[in-house]
Amino acid sequence: MQALTVLGMKIRNLNLPKEMITAIQTGLLRRDVGSWQLKTDCDSYGYLLETELGEFYESEQPIINATKQLSSDFVIDGVYGVYGDGSLPDYPGAIQDITDFRYIICFGSSGDGAPFCLDYRSSIEDPSVIWWDDINRRERKKIICEKIEEFYEASIAYTNACDQLITDIQRMTYRCESGYYTNDPAAYALFEQSISKMEMLHGLYFQRIDFDSEDFAIDKMPLIWAANSGELARKTVNSDEVYKKSRDHIKSSSDRLSGLCKELMHKHMI
């Protein structure tokens, strides 16, 4: 094993903490089997931290190799590196994704291979310790892909429900003897459910896209109100005009929702 000295130990011209050098020299963190459990299940800020130190690098070359590998393992891919606008991922203890590794030194990894690193960006003399939860990163991308697919399916369900509601009025499928119209309960339920689904996905996962559920409300199709309220039967509205406005809304909504889905797929490189 390569000998290390307290006075001369530098990686990328950054001094390793004396406590780490002492651990390397004394073999304090050397284990042939198993992992080192953390002293507490919380990080320095009191957030839950469920991991362990699986491997601690005890010589200079493994530290250098692992540090170089960071720039290959963590690249801007539409999931990692998207929090560069000052916002943070929505889980406790998260920091912005690091894409500049000049002041990051990898000194070990957890049992699942996620790296432990020293972060010198805020202080050259007093680095903080960070842990890249790589498993969560991969799972997050999988989840995001699934949620984009759910948003797309909800958008298709929305336009189909709109079309069905308007077509029923055009064909007088649910016209009563009084001249009033009712809506197909299944189509109307699908209409409401699809909007609620898109609204939920937008709020939880895709807050940065331009989506407002009010833009897709039932009142955007005036033909439905005219039919349900009896205005169509009393001929107090221009039936051709409200029909055209309603059809235009369906077309513009379909185009807009399709565009949002394409934006999400492009942003997350799917």
Side-chain angles (χ1 to χ4, degrees):
M1 182 175 294
Q2 181 177 344
L4 301 174
T5 61
V6 174
L7 294 179
M9 186 53 189
K10 287 188 176 184
I11 301 292
R12 291 185 173 178
N13 208 34
L14 298 170
N15 290 312
L16 294 185
K18 291 187 293 184
E19 296 83 358
M20 183 174 294
I21 297 174
T22 299
I24 293 173
Q25 290 179 325
T26 61
L28 179 65
L29 295 179
R30 187 177 305 155
R31 291 189 78 160
D32 296 325
V33 179
S35 302
W36 285 103
Q37 298 300 310
L38 302 186
K39 290 183 178 180
T40 175
D41 60 359
C42 294
D43 65 13
S44 300
Y45 302 96
Y47 297 121
L48 181 64
L49 180 64
E50 296 179 294
T51 186
E52 76 292 321
L53 181 61
E55 183 176 7
F56 177 69
Y57 305 136
E58 291 189 312
S59 60
E60 185 173 2
Q61 198 57 49
I63 295 175
I64 293 174
N65 293 342
T67 299
K68 287 182 178 179
Q69 188 63 34
L70 292 175
S71 59
S72 298
D73 290 342
F74 298 95
V75 296
I76 300 175
D77 61 0
V79 175
Y80 186 84
V82 299
Y83 297 99
D85 57 359
S87 62
L88 291 175
D90 55 355
Y91 50 88
I95 62 175
Q96 290 186 38
D97 292 342
I98 300 173
T99 56
D100 183 350
F101 302 93
R102 289 176 296 174
Y103 296 96
I104 307 296
I105 301 296
C106 182
F107 65 84
S109 65
S110 57
D112 57 18
F116 279 98
C117 299
L118 294 171
D119 182 357
Y120 292 84
R121 293 175 301 164
S122 298
S123 174
I124 295 295
E125 301 300 328
D126 187 21
S128 58
V129 175
I130 57 177
W131 174 54
W132 255 289
D133 189 356
D134 189 37
I135 298 300
N136 279 352
R137 172 177 174 259
R138 291 195 296 268
E139 288 300 313
R140 188 172 71 193
K141 182 163 187 175
K142 177 182 177 183
I143 290 172
I144 290 297
C145 292
E146 292 173 350
K147 298 309 176 184
I148 292 175
E149 183 177 0
E150 288 181 25
F151 191 95
Y152 174 73
E153 291 173 348
S155 73
I156 296 298
Y158 170 81
T159 53
N160 286 343
C162 289
D163 179 73
Q164 185 63 52
L165 291 169
I166 297 300
T167 299
D168 284 342
I169 295 173
Q170 184 184 17
R171 294 176 177 175
M172 296 187 289
T173 306
Y174 292 94
R175 186 178 186 275
C176 306
E177 290 184 4
S178 61
Y180 286 67
Y181 289 75
T182 59
N183 300 314
D184 178 3
Y188 191 78
L190 181 61
F191 171 85
E192 290 193 318
Q193 291 167 6
S194 59
I195 292 181
S196 297
K197 184 66 174 290
M198 290 187 291
E199 188 174 34
M200 179 196 71
L201 292 169
H202 172 253
L204 291 176
Y205 300 97
F206 310 124
Q207 297 178 12
R208 292 180 178 82
I209 64 172
D210 182 19
F211 175 84
D212 186 345
S213 60
E214 290 298 320
D215 294 339
F216 304 93
I218 195 75
D219 60 8
K220 301 300 180 181
M221 293 182 290
L223 181 65
I224 293 178
W225 167 252
N228 293 346
S229 65
E231 289 187 2
L232 202 61
R234 293 190 296 270
K235 299 182 180 180
T236 54
V237 296
N238 185 319
S239 59
D240 291 338
E241 182 179 339
V242 293
Y243 176 79
K244 183 178 185 305
K245 285 183 177 179
S246 299
R247 282 293 177 190
D248 287 346
H249 169 74
I250 297 174
K251 176 64 167 59
S252 63
S253 295
S254 177
D255 292 343
R256 183 176 174 189
L257 291 171
S258 176
L260 289 177
C261 291
K262 290 177 181 178
E263 176 186 339
L264 288 171
M265 288 186 285
H266 177 74
K267 179 179 180 181
H268 297 282
M269 292 184 164
I270 295 175

